[in-house]
């Protein structure tokens, strides 16, 4: 199939579903991930789609994403309940990794109130500041390029630091989850960190309150 034919098929799938995933396109066309990425990049440059982590969406189809301080104020009770439940997946002396974001903030708070000894890997300054106050917690902060709006590190230094580690459990906090198109994140740089975290854990859990479902 020629590139123009693939482009038309991609746009047809977008029109029908509102989003497409890279994995879906690889299966449909039987091509490499590099070919799919080139197709999506060309279509984005022509203004026909918007690339996001894991695929693409119709331009303007993604809701405006609030800054971290706003997200910390929103849906607090739901996030606290979610994180209280998530602590049931953690054991004393566990070795875990925690993502960044508002849900990660509340998860860190919940852990402090329940456990005495944990080893925690994170790239979030909020998570680091909360957990580092707890005696008995061992915190590994993976630094790198700092995003002051998200209070989190990303980039090659962060990815290299994570690559040297291994954790039993990872707790990721995506921006949105769709039953059709999977897990999405609004920040491409931070999504690369999430991908690296997935590669270093035995088990992965996604923490998302109901507002994030079908929110892309």
């Amino acid at each position: 199939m020629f590139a123009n034919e693939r482009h038309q098929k991609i746009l047809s799938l977008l029109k029908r579903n509102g989003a497409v995933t890279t994995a879906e396109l690889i299966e449909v066309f039987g091509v490499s991930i590099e070919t799919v990425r080139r197709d999506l990049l060309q279509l984005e440059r022509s203004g026909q789609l918007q690339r996001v982590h894991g695929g693409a969406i119709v331009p303007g189809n993604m809701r405006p994403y609030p800054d971290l301080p706003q997200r910390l104020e929103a849906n607090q009770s739901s996030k606290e309940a979610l994180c209280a439940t998530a602590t049931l997946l953690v054991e004393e002396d566990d070795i875990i990794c925690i993502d960044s974001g508002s849900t990660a903030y509340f998860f860190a708070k919940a852990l402090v109130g329940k456990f005495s000894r944990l080893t925690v890997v994170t790239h979030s300054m909020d998570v680091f500041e909360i957990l580092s106050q707890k005696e008995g917690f061992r915190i590994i902060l993976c630094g790198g390029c700092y995003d002051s709006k998200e209070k989190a590190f990303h980039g090659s230094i962060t990815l290299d630091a994570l690559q040297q580690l291994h954790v039993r459990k990872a707790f990721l906090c995506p921006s949105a989850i769709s039953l059709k198109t999977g897990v999405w994140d609004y920040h491409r740089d931070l999504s690369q960190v999430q991908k690296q975290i997935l590669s270093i854990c035995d088990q992965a859990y996604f923490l998302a309150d109901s507002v994030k479902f079908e929110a892309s």
Side-chain angles (χ1 to χ4, degrees), residues 159-212:
L159 299 179
D160 289 344
L162 285 167
Q163 192 174 28
Q164 299 177 53
L165 303 170
H166 185 83
V167 298
R168 294 173 186 164
K169 300 159 188 172
F171 295 87
L172 299 173
C173 306
S175 302
I177 294 179
S178 169
L179 296 178
K180 289 183 179 179
T181 57
V183 177
W184 303 84
D185 201 278
Y186 286 76
H187 297 273
R188 191 169 297 166
D189 290 330
L190 293 179
S191 72
Q192 294 302 311
V193 177
Q194 292 174 335
K195 184 177 179 181
Q196 185 69 280
I197 291 171
L198 285 173
S199 74
I200 67 163
C201 68
D202 293 328
Q203 296 173 295
Y205 301 95
F206 292 93
L207 305 185
D209 58 88
S210 58
V211 175
K212 293 182 179 178

Coordinates of all heavy atoms in Angstrom, one line a residue, residues 159-212:
L159 N 15.5 9.3 31.8 CA 15.3 8.0 31.2 C 16.5 7.0 31.5 O 16.3 5.9 31.8 CB 15.1 8.1 29.7 CG 13.9 8.9 29.2 CD1 13.8 9.0 27.7 CD2 12.6 8.3 29.8
D160 N 17.7 7.6 31.4 CA 18.9 6.8 31.7 C 18.9 6.4 33.1 O 19.3 5.2 33.5 CB 20.1 7.6 31.4 CG 20.4 7.8 29.9 OD1 19.7 7.0 29.1 OD2 21.2 8.6 29.5
A161 N 18.5 7.3 34.0 CA 18.5 6.9 35.5 C 17.5 5.8 35.7 O 17.8 4.8 36.5 CB 18.1 8.2 36.3
L162 N 16.3 5.9 35.1 CA 15.3 4.8 35.3 C 15.8 3.5 34.8 O 15.5 2.5 35.3 CB 14.0 5.3 34.6 CG 13.2 6.4 35.4 CD1 12.1 6.9 34.4 CD2 12.6 5.8 36.6
Q163 N 16.5 3.6 33.6 CA 16.9 2.3 33.0 C 17.8 1.5 33.9 O 17.9 0.3 33.7 CB 17.6 2.7 31.7 CG 17.8 1.5 30.7 CD 18.4 1.9 29.4 OE1 19.1 3.0 29.3 NE2 18.1 1.2 28.4
Q164 N 18.5 2.1 34.8 CA 19.4 1.4 35.7 C 18.7 0.8 36.9 O 19.4 0.1 37.7 CB 20.5 2.4 36.2 CG 21.3 3.0 35.1 CD 22.3 4.0 35.7 OE1 23.1 3.7 36.6 NE2 22.3 5.2 35.1
L165 N 17.4 1.0 37.0 CA 16.7 0.5 38.2 C 15.7 -0.6 37.8 O 15.3 -0.8 36.7 CB 15.9 1.7 38.8 CG 16.8 2.9 39.2 CD1 16.0 4.1 39.6 CD2 17.7 2.5 40.4
H166 N 15.2 -1.2 38.9 CA 14.1 -2.2 38.7 C 13.2 -2.1 39.9 O 13.7 -2.1 41.1 CB 14.6 -3.6 38.5 CG 13.6 -4.6 38.3 ND1 13.1 -4.8 37.0 CD2 12.9 -5.4 39.1 CE1 12.1 -5.8 37.0 NE2 12.0 -6.1 38.3
V167 N 11.9 -2.1 39.7 CA 10.9 -2.0 40.8 C 9.9 -3.2 40.7 O 9.7 -3.7 39.7 CB 10.2 -0.7 40.8 CG1 11.2 0.5 41.0 CG2 9.4 -0.5 39.6
R168 N 9.3 -3.5 41.9 CA 8.3 -4.5 41.9 C 7.0 -4.0 41.3 O 6.3 -4.7 40.5 CB 8.0 -5.0 43.3 CG 9.2 -5.7 44.0 CD 8.9 -5.9 45.4 NE 10.1 -6.5 46.1 CZ 10.2 -6.5 47.4 NH1 9.3 -6.0 48.2 NH2 11.3 -7.0 48.0
K169 N 6.6 -2.8 41.6 CA 5.3 -2.2 41.2 C 5.5 -0.8 40.7 O 6.3 0.0 41.3 CB 4.3 -2.3 42.3 CG 4.0 -3.7 42.8 CD 3.5 -3.7 44.2 CE 3.4 -5.1 44.8 NZ 3.0 -5.1 46.2
A170 N 4.8 -0.4 39.7 CA 4.8 1.0 39.2 C 3.3 1.5 39.2 O 2.4 0.8 38.8 CB 5.3 1.0 37.8
F171 N 3.2 2.7 39.7 CA 1.9 3.4 39.7 C 1.9 4.6 38.8 O 2.6 5.6 39.1 CB 1.5 3.8 41.1 CG 1.4 2.6 42.0 CD1 2.5 2.0 42.7 CD2 0.1 2.0 42.2 CE1 2.3 0.9 43.5 CE2 0.0 0.9 43.0 CZ 1.1 0.3 43.7
L172 N 1.2 4.5 37.7 CA 1.2 5.5 36.6 C -0.1 6.3 36.7 O -1.1 5.7 37.0 CB 1.4 4.9 35.3 CG 2.7 4.1 35.1 CD1 2.7 3.4 33.7 CD2 3.9 5.0 35.2
C173 N 0.0 7.5 36.3 CA -1.1 8.4 36.4 C -1.4 9.1 35.1 O -0.9 10.3 34.9 CB -0.9 9.5 37.5 SG -0.4 8.8 39.1
P174 N -2.1 8.5 34.2 CA -2.3 9.0 32.8 C -3.2 10.2 32.8 O -4.0 10.4 33.8 CB -2.8 7.8 32.0 CG -3.5 7.0 33.1 CD -2.7 7.2 34.3
S175 N -3.2 11.0 31.7 CA -4.1 12.1 31.6 C -5.5 11.6 31.2 O -6.5 12.3 31.6 CB -3.6 13.1 30.5 OG -2.3 13.5 30.8
A176 N -5.6 10.5 30.5 CA -6.9 10.1 30.0 C -6.8 8.6 29.7 O -5.8 8.1 29.3 CB -7.4 10.8 28.8
I177 N -8.0 7.9 29.8 CA -8.1 6.5 29.5 C -9.3 6.3 28.6 O -10.4 6.7 29.0 CB -8.2 5.6 30.7 CG1 -6.8 5.7 31.5 CG2 -8.4 4.1 30.4 CD1 -6.8 4.8 32.8
S178 N -9.2 5.6 27.5 CA -10.3 5.3 26.6 C -10.4 3.8 26.4 O -9.4 3.1 26.2 CB -10.1 6.0 25.3 OG -11.0 5.5 24.3
L179 N -11.6 3.3 26.5 CA -11.8 1.9 26.2 C -11.5 1.5 24.8 O -11.1 0.4 24.5 CB -13.2 1.4 26.6 CG -13.6 1.6 28.1 CD1 -15.0 1.2 28.3 CD2 -12.7 0.8 29.0
K180 N -11.6 2.5 23.9 CA -11.3 2.2 22.5 C -9.9 2.4 22.1 O -9.3 1.6 21.3 CB -12.2 3.2 21.6 CG -13.7 3.0 21.6 CD -14.3 3.9 20.7 CE -15.8 3.7 20.6 NZ -16.5 4.7 19.7
T181 N -9.2 3.4 22.7 CA -7.9 3.8 22.2 C -6.8 3.7 23.2 O -5.7 3.9 22.9 CB -7.9 5.2 21.6 OG1 -8.4 6.1 22.6 CG2 -8.8 5.3 20.4
G182 N -7.1 3.3 24.4 CA -6.1 3.0 25.4 C -5.8 4.2 26.3 O -6.6 5.1 26.6
V183 N -4.5 4.2 26.8 CA -4.0 5.2 27.7 C -3.3 6.3 27.0 O -2.5 6.1 26.1 CB -3.1 4.5 28.7 CG1 -2.5 5.5 29.7 CG2 -3.8 3.4 29.5
W184 N -3.6 7.6 27.4 CA -3.1 8.7 26.8 C -2.5 9.7 27.8 O -2.9 9.7 29.0 CB -4.2 9.5 26.0 CG -4.9 8.7 25.0 CD1 -6.0 7.8 25.2 CD2 -4.7 8.6 23.6 NE1 -6.4 7.2 24.1 CE2 -5.6 7.7 23.1 CE3 -3.7 9.2 22.8 CZ2 -5.6 7.4 21.7 CZ3 -3.7 8.9 21.5 CH2 -4.7 8.0 20.9
D185 N -1.6 10.5 27.3 CA -1.0 11.6 28.2 C -0.8 12.8 27.4 O -0.5 12.8 26.2 CB 0.3 11.1 28.8 CG 0.6 12.0 30.0 OD1 1.2 13.1 29.9 OD2 0.4 11.5 31.1
Y186 N -1.1 14.0 28.0 CA -1.0 15.2 27.3 C 0.4 15.7 27.1 O 0.6 16.6 26.2 CB -1.8 16.3 28.1 CG -3.3 16.1 28.0 CD1 -4.0 15.2 28.7 CD2 -4.1 17.0 27.1 CE1 -5.4 15.0 28.6 CE2 -5.5 16.8 27.1 CZ -6.1 15.9 27.8 OH -7.5 15.7 27.7
H187 N 1.3 15.3 27.9 CA 2.7 15.7 27.8 C 3.6 14.7 27.2 O 3.8 13.6 27.8 CB 3.2 16.1 29.2 CG 2.5 17.2 29.9 ND1 2.8 18.5 29.7 CD2 1.4 17.2 30.7 CE1 2.0 19.3 30.3 NE2 1.1 18.5 30.9
R188 N 4.0 14.9 26.0 CA 4.8 13.9 25.2 C 6.1 13.5 26.0 O 6.4 12.4 26.0 CB 5.0 14.4 23.8 CG 5.6 13.3 22.9 CD 5.6 13.8 21.5 NE 4.2 14.0 21.0 CZ 3.9 14.7 19.9 NH1 4.9 15.2 19.2 NH2 2.7 14.9 19.5
D189 N 6.8 14.5 26.5 CA 8.0 14.2 27.2 C 7.8 13.4 28.4 O 8.5 12.4 28.7 CB 8.7 15.5 27.6 CG 9.3 16.3 26.4 OD1 9.6 15.7 25.4 OD2 9.3 17.5 26.5
L190 N 6.7 13.7 29.2 CA 6.5 12.9 30.4 C 5.9 11.5 30.0 O 6.1 10.5 30.8 CB 5.5 13.6 31.3 CG 6.0 14.9 31.9 CD1 4.9 15.6 32.8 CD2 7.2 14.6 32.8
S191 N 5.3 11.4 28.9 CA 4.8 10.1 28.5 C 5.9 9.1 28.2 O 5.8 7.9 28.3 CB 3.9 10.2 27.2 OG 4.6 10.5 26.1
Q192 N 7.1 9.7 27.7 CA 8.3 8.9 27.5 C 8.8 8.3 28.8 O 9.3 7.2 28.8 CB 9.3 9.7 26.7 CG 8.9 10.1 25.3 CD 8.6 8.9 24.5 OE1 9.4 7.9 24.4 NE2 7.5 8.9 23.8
V193 N 8.7 9.1 29.8 CA 9.1 8.7 31.2 C 8.2 7.5 31.6 O 8.7 6.5 32.1 CB 9.1 9.8 32.2 CG1 9.4 9.3 33.6 CG2 10.0 10.9 31.8
Q194 N 6.9 7.7 31.4 CA 5.9 6.6 31.7 C 6.3 5.3 31.0 O 6.3 4.2 31.6 CB 4.5 7.0 31.4 CG 4.0 8.1 32.3 CD 2.6 8.6 31.8 OE1 2.3 8.5 30.6 NE2 1.9 9.2 32.7
K195 N 6.6 5.4 29.7 CA 7.0 4.2 28.9 C 8.2 3.6 29.5 O 8.3 2.3 29.6 CB 7.3 4.7 27.5 CG 7.6 3.5 26.5 CD 7.7 4.0 25.1 CE 8.0 2.9 24.2 NZ 8.2 3.4 22.8
Q196 N 9.2 4.4 29.9 CA 10.4 3.8 30.5 C 10.1 3.1 31.9 O 10.6 2.0 32.2 CB 11.4 4.9 30.8 CG 12.8 4.4 31.3 CD 13.6 3.6 30.2 OE1 13.3 2.4 30.0 NE2 14.5 4.3 29.5
I197 N 9.2 3.7 32.6 CA 8.8 3.1 33.9 C 8.2 1.7 33.7 O 8.4 0.8 34.4 CB 7.8 4.0 34.7 CG1 8.5 5.3 35.2 CG2 7.2 3.3 35.8 CD1 7.6 6.4 35.7
L198 N 7.4 1.6 32.6 CA 6.7 0.3 32.3 C 7.8 -0.7 32.0 O 7.5 -1.9 32.3 CB 5.8 0.5 31.1 CG 4.5 1.2 31.4 CD1 3.7 1.4 30.1 CD2 3.6 0.4 32.3
S199 N 8.9 -0.3 31.5 CA 9.9 -1.3 31.1 C 10.8 -1.8 32.3 O 11.5 -2.8 32.2 CB 10.9 -0.7 30.1 OG 11.8 0.3 30.7
I200 N 10.6 -1.2 33.5 CA 11.5 -1.5 34.6 C 10.7 -2.1 35.8 O 11.2 -2.3 36.9 CB 12.3 -0.3 35.2 CG1 11.4 0.7 35.8 CG2 13.2 0.3 34.1 CD1 12.1 1.8 36.6
C201 N 9.4 -2.4 35.6 CA 8.6 -2.9 36.7 C 8.1 -4.3 36.4 O 8.0 -4.8 35.3 CB 7.4 -2.0 36.9 SG 6.2 -2.0 35.6
D202 N 7.8 -5.0 37.5 CA 7.2 -6.4 37.4 C 5.7 -6.2 37.2 O 5.1 -7.0 36.5 CB 7.5 -7.2 38.7 CG 8.9 -7.5 38.9 OD1 9.6 -7.7 37.8 OD2 9.4 -7.6 40.0
Q203 N 5.1 -5.3 37.9 CA 3.6 -5.0 37.7 C 3.4 -3.6 37.6 O 4.0 -2.7 38.2 CB 2.9 -5.6 39.0 CG 3.0 -7.1 39.2 CD 2.4 -7.5 40.5 OE1 2.9 -7.1 41.6 NE2 1.3 -8.2 40.5
A204 N 2.4 -3.2 36.8 CA 2.0 -1.8 36.6 C 0.6 -1.6 36.9 O -0.3 -2.4 36.5 CB 2.3 -1.4 35.1
Y205 N 0.3 -0.5 37.5 CA -1.1 -0.1 37.8 C -1.3 1.3 37.4 O -0.5 2.2 37.5 CB -1.3 -0.2 39.3 CG -1.1 -1.5 39.9 CD1 0.1 -1.9 40.5 CD2 -2.1 -2.5 39.9 CE1 0.4 -3.1 41.0 CE2 -1.8 -3.8 40.4 CZ -0.6 -4.1 41.0 OH -0.4 -5.3 41.5
F206 N -2.5 1.6 36.8 CA -2.9 2.9 36.3 C -3.9 3.5 37.2 O -4.9 2.9 37.5 CB -3.4 2.9 34.9 CG -2.4 2.5 33.8 CD1 -2.2 1.1 33.5 CD2 -1.6 3.4 33.3 CE1 -1.3 0.8 32.5 CE2 -0.6 3.1 32.3 CZ -0.5 1.8 32.0
L207 N -3.5 4.7 37.8 CA -4.4 5.3 38.8 C -5.1 6.5 38.0 O -4.5 7.4 37.6 CB -3.6 5.9 39.9 CG -2.7 4.9 40.7 CD1 -2.1 5.6 41.9 CD2 -3.5 3.7 41.1
A208 N -6.5 6.3 37.9 CA -7.2 7.3 37.2 C -8.7 7.4 37.8 O -9.3 6.3 37.9 CB -7.3 7.0 35.7
D209 N -9.1 8.6 38.1 CA -10.5 8.7 38.6 C -11.4 8.7 37.4 O -11.0 8.8 36.3 CB -10.6 9.9 39.5 CG -10.3 11.2 38.8 OD1 -11.1 11.8 38.1 OD2 -9.1 11.6 38.8
S210 N -12.7 8.7 37.7 CA -13.7 8.6 36.6 C -13.7 9.7 35.6 O -14.0 9.5 34.4 CB -15.1 8.5 37.2 OG -15.4 9.7 38.0
V211 N -13.2 10.9 36.0 CA -13.2 12.1 35.1 C -12.2 11.8 33.9 O -12.4 12.4 32.8 CB -12.7 13.3 35.9 CG1 -12.5 14.5 34.9 CG2 -13.7 13.6 37.0
K212 N -11.2 10.9 34.1 CA -10.2 10.7 33.1 C -10.6 9.7 32.0 O -10.0 9.5 31.0 CB -8.9 10.3 33.7 CG -8.3 11.4 34.5 CD -6.9 11.0 35.1 CE -6.3 12.1 35.9 NZ -5.0 11.7 36.5

